[in-house]
Amino acid sequence: MWLKPEEVLLKNALKLWVTEKSNDYFVLQRRRGYGEDSGGLTGLLVGTLDTVLDSTAKVAPFRILHQTPDSQVYWNIACGASLEEISQHWDWLQQNIIRTLSVFDSGEDITSFVQGKIRGLIAEEGTSACDEEDPERFREVVLRFERLFGLPQREKLVTYYSCSYWRGRVPNQGWIYLSTNFLCFYSYMLGNEVKLVFPWDEVSRLERTSNVLLAESIRVRVRGEDHFFSMLMRLQQTYLIMQQLADYAVVRFFDKETFHAEHSLSNPLHITQRALEKHARNQSFRSFFRLPQEENLCEVYESFLWVPFSHINVLGKICVSENYLCFASQDGSQCHLIIPLWEVFSVELPDRGTRALTVCMRGKRALRFSEVRDFERLAATIRRKCGSAGSPQHSFISQDEEGVMVGQSQAVSTEALMNVFHPHNAENLDPKMLKERMKEQSWQIHFAEYGRGTGMFCTKKTRDLIVRGVPETLRGELWMLFSGAVHDMTSNPGYYGRLLEECMGSSSLACDEIERDLHRSLPEHPAFQSDTGISALRRVLTGYAHRNPKIGYCQAMNILTSVLLLYAKEEEAFWLLVAVCERMLPDYFNRRIIGALVDQAVFEELIREHLTQLTEHMTDLSFFSSVSLSWFLTLFISVLPIESAVNVVDCFFYDGIKAILQLGLAVLDYNMDNLLCCHDDAEAVTILNRFFDNVTNKDSPLPATVQQASATANDKSIQKVDISDLIKEAYEKYGDIRTEEVENMRKRNKLYVIQTLEDTTKQNVLRVVAQDVKCSAAQLDELYMLFKRQHFVSCYWSVCSPALHNHDPSLPYLDQYQLDQSQFSSLFNLLQPWTTDTHVRSLTRSAFHILDENGDGLVNFKELICGLDILYNRSFTEKLKFLFKLHLQSGTQGHTILKSSTFIPPAEDHSFSTRLSESTEDGVIRKCPEKGRAKVDLQEYLKQWQEDLQRREESIKDLPRINQVQFIGLTKTLYGVFHGDEEEESLYRAVARVTSLLLRMEEVGRKLQESSLQKTPQSTPTSSRSTAQQPEVSPMSPISADTPAESENTHEPPESPFSQHETAPSHSDITPNSTSRPSTPTSSPTGTSSPALDTPTDTPTSPGAVRDGDWSFSFEQVLASLLNEPSVVRFFERAVDTDALIAHAHKNQLKDKH
């Protein structure tokens, strides 16, 4: 066991201990009196002392010491009761510590590192047990986790381990904390603090590695930078938990098509280490036995199974789920079988001495298990479950003579299309048919010996028969069995018929796409030249699109389904499609074909490992990814003749994606010499296409009208390749590739594929945005990460956050990530350059409405950055104009202000507010296309893009006037912005002077207008109106509140806080004393005010309807007045430290409350 390091004096202990092993840093010693020299006088004396004296009675006979280099100081770090036990500790030090210590320069650093590592190992030894048995200790760790990293209390800590983090060539001993959404590390040694916080959604690589310096470590790549964690006692366990958490984040945030609300880990607040391990076991269990998603592993027993055909007992494990009893031999390939519990009618205990039990099934079959540790419990479990598992039976539906279901609203074919169009002729004595019958006979013998149906033993002999080719008459049955689709169909009787009734007559985007592709599915086959085949294909594809709307319909599904319909009944073809799309090829058939891209990355990895010659010749293997995409999506159906492709599908349903990968390697290996001579990609594509054209199936019994042999099929000068030989070669050369290895490679590469797609999105967005703003490329990159993280922060701690719908990869790049008002407010407050403590919510809401250009209630990255760019890099006029428009928005509270100042009444739905339109010249609000999950209207986007190009620069004359309530809000905002500045006093006085000046100008303009009206009392109403409509006022002069620009509206706006019965405040009420700090609401930074002016800025009012007694100002007046105040101009023209703001946002983004 590891010991807390304690200093010992080796000089005084030489007579009591014997050195067994040593190196520059550690010494393994044995205590005298134990082992070989125990018979000597010294050994007897030491043994007597250890037995008699209490002070030494508990001394272990073996220990390991650490020696501080260049000193006589030793530290006791481990002890053991036996040589085997202490040797394990010694070997661990040799493998994980020795090479690391060479990077340190001083002996003190080495000793400090070793002591820290040993203390971490001691703490970790009891972590798993203590977490369950001592929750108080785990709570202390949780509190330390929250204190160190400042994450919200809702963040769930899953587990923690002692490890070392490598910064350069120097390790930092500390603790790694794995939580639901973050990977965190903390270390503090020799005054050096290391603190890391990485969101799982930013991890692009996660793998176990080893090199000269590190024996074994875990490499984590985040945003292009590698981080290494090593010296973990439970390295594999740590790696698996990290892999599960990263995969959980990917599925939940990026790959939402495969994430279900009923997911066992759907609630991020309830994830624990035990829940993760259980979820992984269930997934592995279902994947191996091809069981429905509803099945979970309940109990596992180790036992022997009597195998009658081999007359031996096979060691393996019994796995019991809710409805199935499964057995797999120890290596998994020797044999495995699946027994539905509704097929079991009794369980017997024939021999308690051998702890055996016999499971009796219908059909006079029995299985004998022996050496089951808890056989009585297993027997009770099976009895209980087989009693509760009723036999699911399909409802009886009559069939007419033509093999069509007539008990449903839609006619459903109950015959495989191959049987309808090419019925099996038993009297045909063609050599190919004779060989086909020999295959059938081989399978019949196999069924007689190994069983048939769900209870069949699957062995190596079964795989050999699959490789040789499945008979045409048995293909549908065996596909159903090996894919597990038979279990889905049995568990859901009548489901397909009800599904067709539900979707009958429905119309959707998927239905339109299906209709378009129906006649492109094996068009040369007679079955799909008739209405029978086309109708069956339509029903299966439409039914699946209705079942799984997240996937709907994707190209390549029609090709696969058409082949399934040839050999399986219509309902069976449907369940085969379910098995392929949802279990065997996950993520293949979605908008981004993530699953296919992942398997292509796995294929590249296998090429590097098995085809080194090709790797050396072609350094860039991305070519094989592009050329092999159709191989994976269609299971080679699109590149091979149909009579050859079905043999590949046979292997796929038995061995899964492993069979496709093996065959891909065999194809490249077969064409190795030709590929090595290629000079470009086009030549390589030609070689591969020619090869596939020459693949034949010499044993195919299909008639010539069905076969798709190429035009060169009869050309004897061209070498032909038989598909059976090619498949056999693939299994012989690459059959050692294990399914577990492929699954691990899939998980490892999925992170990389997802992050590559995300990086592509980012680069396209930044390329578009960079043209319109003055921020640097590095700043835009950081701002994009903040924008994207803000989306995820809103989703981290919620089961089904509405914000998850704000990410849609099917939309154009700019709109894939969008923020709603709440998310925008949090991020905008972190990034805005000025502190405005007054009415912050109102201002951020106004900013959101202004930047939401299309009024859909969401802001994309470009819209946000254009707003921030004004505050960061634009001129004084632009910044002031933005603030001016903010208060126009806060005054209208959702009313749209057009350039013509025409008032538009609010829509009935007040959830989304339209913005200040800067581009419309006809007063019409431009709406963007629907940003829902439906089809994107590209024509509408192009039209809107054309309008944006034609948009002219907004003129300050187009801005509406600001009324009294809004102007008071603007002055409050300016005081808040100036608060804390070094020129605060002069800035306050400047605003007070400008306010006073504007009010005086307003009064002068009002008096001039009154005098002009008194001089023309006899004028007609028409002339009065014309005079009022054309006041001769200079840009610096006040404009009367009665001008038609504000009063000609036909819609009555909401009542202003200052009604007609109130008098407008005079300039003496709002202008502060010229010799003192402002004390009125518009001049006080603290916001204290008199009751007359303490009016909320977001009180509903219309800027276009200014009543008698109100006053208002144009933007030109405000701008001209503030330009006369140098201190104000200097403040707004001052350069903004954008990098500091970004760093501040990074530091505080996760601390924000959501």
Side-chain angles (χ1 to χ4, degrees), residues 199 201-203 223 253-254 592 754-762 780-796 803 806-807 816-819 823 827 860-861 864 1146 1149:
D201 53 80
E202 294 183 8
V203 174
R223 300 184 63 184
F253 296 135
F254 299 109
R592 299 194 288 178
I754 289 285
Q755 293 301 337
T756 300
L757 293 173
E758 290 296 305
D759 288 343
T760 301
T761 300
K762 181 181 73 173
L780 283 176
D781 187 272
E782 293 295 327
L783 288 169
Y784 183 85
M785 295 309 300
L786 286 169
F787 180 86
K788 182 177 169 182
R789 183 180 293 179
Q790 189 65 40
H791 163 75
F792 290 125
V793 166
S794 305
C795 310
Y796 280 153
N806 297 345
H807 172 225
Q816 286 189 13
Y817 285 98
Q818 300 185 92
L819 302 183
Q823 297 169 309
L827 182 60
N860 62 32
F861 179 70
L864 171 68
H1146 272 298
Q1149 189 174 28

Side-chain angles (χ1 to χ4, degrees), residues 286-336:
R286 289 191 295 263
S287 175
F288 183 84
F289 292 106
R290 309 275 173 82
L291 294 178
Q293 294 294 331
E294 298 77 24
E295 297 299 316
N296 293 299
L297 182 60
C298 299
E299 299 176 9
V300 179
Y301 301 86
E302 191 171 276
S303 73
F304 286 91
L305 171 65
W306 173 253
V307 182
F309 49 84
S310 300
H311 304 288
I312 59 172
N313 281 310
V314 176
L315 177 62
K317 290 184 178 180
I318 301 171
C319 301
V320 183
S321 68
E322 288 85 353
N323 297 297
Y324 294 91
L325 172 71
C326 307
F327 177 85
S329 58
Q330 213 167 28
D331 61 355
S333 61
Q334 189 171 356
C335 80
H336 69 270

Side-chain angles (χ1 to χ4, degrees), residues 186-203:
Y186 184 81
S187 171
Y188 186 84
M189 286 185 60
L190 305 175
N192 180 32
E193 182 183 52
V194 178
K195 185 185 295 186
L196 305 173
V197 180
F198 299 139
W200 291 116
D201 53 80
E202 294 183 8
V203 174

